[in-house]
Amino acid sequence: MSNGQSGAGKPLLECNDLCISYFTRAGEIPAVKDFSLQLYPGESVGIVGESGCGKSTVAMAIMNYMGANGGIVGGSIVFDGRDMASLSPEELRQLRGGDIAMVYQEPMAALNPSLTIGKQLMEVPMFHENISATEAAARAKQMLADVNLPDPDRVMAAYPHQISGGQQQRVVISMALLSHPKLLLLDEPTTALDVTVEAGIVELIGEISAKFGTSMLYISHNMGLIKDTCDRVCVMYSGEVVEEGPIDTVFNAMSHPYTRGLFGAIPLPSADKRSHPLVAIRGQLPLPHERPRGCNFGPRCDFFDAGRCDAGDIPIVDGAHAMQRVRCVRWQEIDWASHRPDVTVRPEEPAGEEVLAVDEMRKYYTVHDRSIKAMLSGHSVRHVKANESITFNARKQETVAIVGESGCGKSTFAKVLTGLETATDGKIDFDGVDISHVPVHNRTPKQLGSLQMVFQNPNDTLNPSHTIGAQIGRVIKKFGVETEPAKIQQRVMQLLDAVKLPRDFMWRRPRQLSGGQKQRVGIARAFAGNPSMVIADEPVSALDVSVQAAVTDLLMDLQRENKTTLLFISHDLSVVRYLADRIVVMYLGQIMERGTTEQVFAPPYHPYTEALLSAVPIADTSVTKKRILLEGNLPSVLNPPTGCPFETRCPRKVGRICEEERPPVIEISAEHRIACHIPLEELAKAEPVIQVGKAAE
């Protein structure tokens, strides 16, 4: 059992040797085994691990909300001195949302689309505290202000679809806090959010804990967020806690091979895609009913010792530091200082000739306002400037990243590039041909095959009724790579080899594959037409860190083998720093800064780039960052600022010139350009946002 904060009083939550199973037609499925935890008032504990390790199952068990086929088969959960198993259904209803509240990963799954935000918030105190509607409305409005939502009256009257994703998540957090819960469970609450919104949510969570003394159990696979929000961390693998302890101990003196494996797959500032690449954990998480004898991590561990690691159940024991525990029989024997993972060091290869040249490309959408006011004023037709004067290029075998918040125009540009939309103005030269005004149905098979895309969610792009082989083979045939069935099948098998999937997967359907495997299929399909450019739109944002490392490694290998240009669209600057050769920073349809990765991550910065870098969660205790939180939201694309698009949120705004005039493009070097009114000598005075081993200002 965890020692928690010994001497800090009575624990608020105690999980003792907790065992959780689900019962199916195939029999009992043991999801969690011997989970123990003590959580004290005001304390925050993180639970990390790959998808399927049991993190969310623990949270649902604490709520005693596991569905009809799930249940606790061993151990106990004691909350505030009460055994959760002994509570009646009515007592549990009073507890949920009252003393224990939960914030889910997807806010729209927790909000009713047919009710206003105000009505949904008011229900919480009215049900749990039996107060009047007037008092409940006042409480709800105050809580919206507490979570830093502008104009609480407007938000109260709005429906969920009328506010942004970040605002929806803040509403869900305020809903969870309305009855001042003693325990807050957060299940991946920021996964789908922009880094700037995520930074605000993380800051908010810390303020909440301090203000209300709320205990928090934070579930995530993002180690950087856990470092920023938690006091202690539990690392779970295949239903068991394999290591736990204070944040500094686990991050700086980790002892379990699995914990080491997780950190080896994280793109820290020290990682380099050529000389110090990420190392993915080989193999996959075992299914609950197929766990190996002894150590569950044994089949994937570099230090497995037959006869010891598989002799029987592995107990969790005290580690080398206070409050640290480890589930490993060899943790004291491993010499981590001399351990060197087997990695492929890639020599640097210069980029080739120019493949893509974008010149003053614009994409506008026409919006018709049929209101009487608009008709009378003569402004019934307006334009959404999704992309404004986009100019950059990309060379053969180069990775160019496009970064920015949701709504900045990244995906719109990708649509124009692929022909799903056509440009309003400007040029896009691809392989020497202007394709900016050529829709996809008018492009030649060669053009279509040369420009392929990897999407964020493979579930939306794979046909569930067709086999993997049929879906990859269709691309090979359609783009004329091969036409004979035997040669198509051989090419499919070669592509499965390239993305490190077994050849028999060609007979499987998407439902039989994991998320990481499906993303590999999407990559194989994108490379099936021998493209000269692949657009990767957030291809790793929803994946576990180990799968993320494997997918990025795969993209680099395929890029090198095929001499492919990679256009990488993302808001995850940690992955971008690791993967990209050059970076384009976009805001509200315009390019704010562009340059090589080293130039963009070092001063001088555009103020927006500076804010993006400050928001990146980094799982390294030796790293410090400047604290720059952006206020407000992106302006409406229907009514953008007249001058600099960033002036409404810029912490370094110069004055009226920012409001009235488009900023000039400052040419710092042949590659590095910044669009800003701040003089270059002032921008150059900025300290690095991310500093290793040195206190940031």
Side-chain angles (χ1 to χ4, degrees):
M1 188 184 300
S2 170
N3 292 324
Q5 295 178 344
S6 54
K10 183 180 177 182
L12 176 70
L13 176 70
E14 290 183 273
C15 299
N16 298 310
D17 302 323
L18 186 64
C19 297
I20 306 166
S21 291
Y22 289 94
F23 297 89
T24 68
R25 292 179 180 178
E28 181 180 348
I29 306 295
V32 173
K33 180 182 177 185
D34 297 332
F35 178 88
S36 295
L37 172 73
Q38 288 186 348
L39 182 63
Y40 287 80
E43 189 184 22
S44 179
V45 173
I47 302 180
V48 300
E50 294 170 284
S51 298
C53 71
K55 306 185 300 292
S56 297
T57 299
V58 168
M60 300 309 277
I62 291 170
M63 297 276 283
N64 206 336
Y65 194 69
M66 292 172 289
N69 68 330
I72 297 170
V73 295
S76 63
I77 301 175
V78 178
F79 173 74
D80 203 16
R82 304 165 74 186
D83 187 342
M84 295 291 285
S86 67
L87 300 182
S88 67
E90 180 56 34
E91 288 174 319
L92 285 171
R93 276 195 293 271
Q94 292 293 337
L95 204 62
R96 298 181 191 129
D99 288 342
I100 304 177
M102 191 162 184
V103 178
Y104 297 91
Q105 178 175 350
E106 176 49 61
M108 279 304 288
L111 295 173
N112 189 328
S114 64
L115 295 178
T116 63
I117 299 296
K119 285 186 177 180
Q120 295 183 64
L121 290 172
M122 290 164 58
E123 283 179 348
V124 178
M126 289 174 68
F127 175 79
H128 289 285
E129 300 175 40
N130 198 27
I131 62 175
S132 67
T134 303
E135 188 178 351
R139 281 261 299 272
K141 194 181 301 182
Q142 181 58 47
M143 187 56 71
L144 290 176
D146 286 344
V147 299
N148 302 322
L149 270 172
D151 196 358
D153 288 313
R154 181 189 67 81
V155 176
M156 288 278 286
Y159 288 89
H161 70 274
Q162 295 175 311
I163 59 177
S164 70
Q167 291 175 330
Q168 289 169 2
Q169 194 63 286
R170 287 172 186 255
V171 166
V172 172
I173 290 174
S174 64
M175 187 181 296
L177 293 170
L178 266 172
S179 285
H180 306 308
K182 297 176 181 178
L183 174 62
L184 185 61
L185 307 175
L186 301 115
D187 190 359
E188 300 277 16
T190 62
T191 298
L193 303 180
D194 290 318
V195 287
T196 50
V197 178
E198 181 179 78
I201 296 291
V202 169
E203 177 109 344
L204 172 64
I205 288 169
E207 292 172 358
I208 286 165
S209 181
K211 181 175 181 179
F212 298 110
T214 307
S215 299
M216 292 188 290
L217 197 64
Y218 202 115
I219 296 166
S220 181
H221 64 257
N222 188 326
M223 291 288 202
L225 281 179
I226 293 297
K227 180 186 77 72
D228 291 343
T229 56
C230 296
D231 306 307
R232 290 187 292 128
V233 61
C234 294
V235 182
M236 288 190 71
Y237 181 80
S238 190
E240 294 180 331
V241 174
V242 295
E243 184 165 1
E244 66 170 305
I247 289 291
D248 286 347
T249 299
V250 174
F251 277 56
N252 298 327
M254 62 202 81
S255 298
H256 197 283
Y258 178 61
T259 311
R260 291 270 176 177
L262 285 179
F263 276 85
I266 297 172
L268 298 175
S270 57
D272 183 273
K273 69 178 181 179
R274 296 184 179 92
S275 62
H276 189 191
L278 303 180
V279 183
I281 303 172
R282 67 172 186 271
Q284 297 179 41
L285 197 79
L287 294 173
H289 59 285
E290 296 177 353
R291 289 177 181 137
R293 177 176 170 81
C295 178
N296 289 338
F297 188 60
R300 305 174 72 187
C301 183
D302 293 338
F303 306 97
F304 180 79
D305 186 4
R308 293 177 63 198
C309 296
D310 57 0
D313 290 345
I314 309 295
I316 191 164
V317 298
D318 290 336
H321 300 81
M323 297 167 59
Q324 182 184 26
R325 298 195 309 149
V326 185
R327 192 184 298 273
C328 179
V329 297
R330 298 200 62 199
W331 71 271
Q332 292 173 296
E333 306 168 13
I334 302 171
D335 182 9
W336 291 112
S338 61
H339 176 61
R340 295 292 180 270
D342 184 17
V343 297
T344 302
V345 177
R346 300 173 177 87
E348 185 170 357
E349 293 186 10
E353 68 274 10
E354 186 177 84
V355 174
L356 178 73
V358 185
D359 184 23
E360 295 291 324
M361 195 281 288
R362 294 175 173 83
K363 176 59 183 175
Y364 294 174
Y365 293 97
T366 301
V367 178
H368 296 274
D369 188 344
R370 303 298 186 187
S371 67
I372 295 176
K373 181 179 178 181
M375 299 289 282
L376 292 174
S377 65
H379 297 292
S380 59
V381 177
R382 294 191 289 174
H383 297 284
V384 174
K385 298 180 180 181
N387 287 150
E388 178 76 12
S389 302
I390 304 297
T391 300
F392 72 95
N393 64 1
R395 295 183 281 269
K396 191 173 184 178
Q397 203 175 321
E398 183 179 43
T399 300
V400 178
I402 302 179
V403 302
E405 296 169 284
S406 298
C408 75
K410 307 187 299 292
S411 295
T412 298
F413 172 74
K415 289 177 181 177
V416 175
L417 188 56
T418 54
L420 298 176
E421 301 278 1
T422 55
T424 304
D425 197 5
K427 294 176 63 178
I428 300 177
D429 279 345
F430 177 65
D431 281 343
V433 179
D434 183 5
I435 60 171
S436 58
H437 299 88
V438 184
V440 65
H441 54 267
N442 288 344
R443 293 188 181 182
T444 66
K446 182 181 178 182
Q447 288 175 329
L448 292 172
S450 296
L451 194 60
Q452 288 292 292
M453 194 159 182
V454 179
F455 297 89
Q456 178 176 358
N457 189 351
N459 290 318
D460 292 342
T461 59
L462 294 178
N463 191 321
S465 61
H466 290 179
T467 64
I468 299 304
Q471 298 189 59
I472 298 174
R474 182 176 182 272
V475 177
I476 296 169
K477 183 178 180 180
K478 182 175 179 61
F479 296 138
V481 178
E482 298 288 355
T483 54
E484 297 178 18
K487 290 184 177 180
I488 290 173
Q489 182 171 322
Q490 183 62 31
R491 177 62 179 152
V492 169
M493 289 190 288
Q494 290 172 353
L495 284 164
L496 290 175
D497 290 342
V499 298
K500 299 177 176 62
L501 288 176
R503 289 188 171 190
D504 65 358
F505 272 35
M506 68 182 296
W507 309 113
R508 296 191 182 186
R509 285 178 168 76
R511 67 175 183 274
Q512 296 172 290
L513 276 61
S514 69
Q517 290 170 339
K518 282 185 278 195
Q519 192 62 288
R520 287 170 185 244
V521 171
I523 292 170
R525 189 173 60 177
F527 279 86
N530 295 329
S532 55
M533 173 175 279
V534 169
I535 305 163
D537 190 359
E538 301 276 12
V540 297
S541 62
L543 303 178
D544 289 322
V545 289
S546 183
V547 179
Q548 185 181 93
V551 170
T552 54
D553 193 58
L554 170 64
L555 282 170
M556 288 187 291
D557 284 344
L558 290 172
Q559 180 183 32
R560 177 177 290 271
E561 291 167 13
N562 296 276
K563 309 297 182 185
T564 309
T565 304
L566 184 63
L567 198 63
F568 191 81
I569 298 173
S570 181
H571 67 258
D572 188 339
L573 284 169
S574 294
V575 176
V576 165
R577 181 176 191 162
Y578 173 72
L579 198 61
D581 301 305
R582 290 192 293 126
I583 298 174
V584 176
V585 181
M586 288 184 65
Y587 183 84
L588 211 65
Q590 299 182 37
I591 294 177
M592 297 288 97
E593 182 171 0
R594 60 187 173 97
T596 67
T597 302
E598 291 75 18
Q599 290 167 342
V600 170
F601 272 79
Y605 308 105
H606 188 281
Y608 180 57
T609 307
E610 196 174 21
L612 287 178
L613 296 177
S614 172
V616 178
I618 300 174
D620 188 338
T621 57
S622 69
V623 170
T624 52
K625 297 180 298 179
K626 281 185 179 179
R627 180 181 175 276
I628 304 171
L629 284 180
L630 294 182
E631 299 294 334
N633 301 299
L634 267 75
S636 170
V637 289
L638 282 170
N639 188 27
T642 305
C644 175
F646 188 55
E647 60 91 3
T648 60
R649 301 169 74 195
C650 182
R652 301 178 64 184
K653 182 176 174 180
V654 175
R656 292 194 63 179
I657 189 173
C658 297
E659 301 172 5
E660 297 172 354
E661 296 182 22
R662 287 279 297 276
V665 177
I666 305 171
E667 186 172 330
I668 300 165
S669 69
E671 293 277 6
H672 195 194
R673 288 171 169 79
I674 294 175
C676 190
H677 286 294
I678 301 173
L680 178 58
E681 56 270 21
E682 287 297 317
L683 292 174
K685 292 178 182 178
E687 288 287 323
V689 173
I690 300 170
Q691 302 189 59
V692 180
K694 179 184 176 183
E697 292 181 2

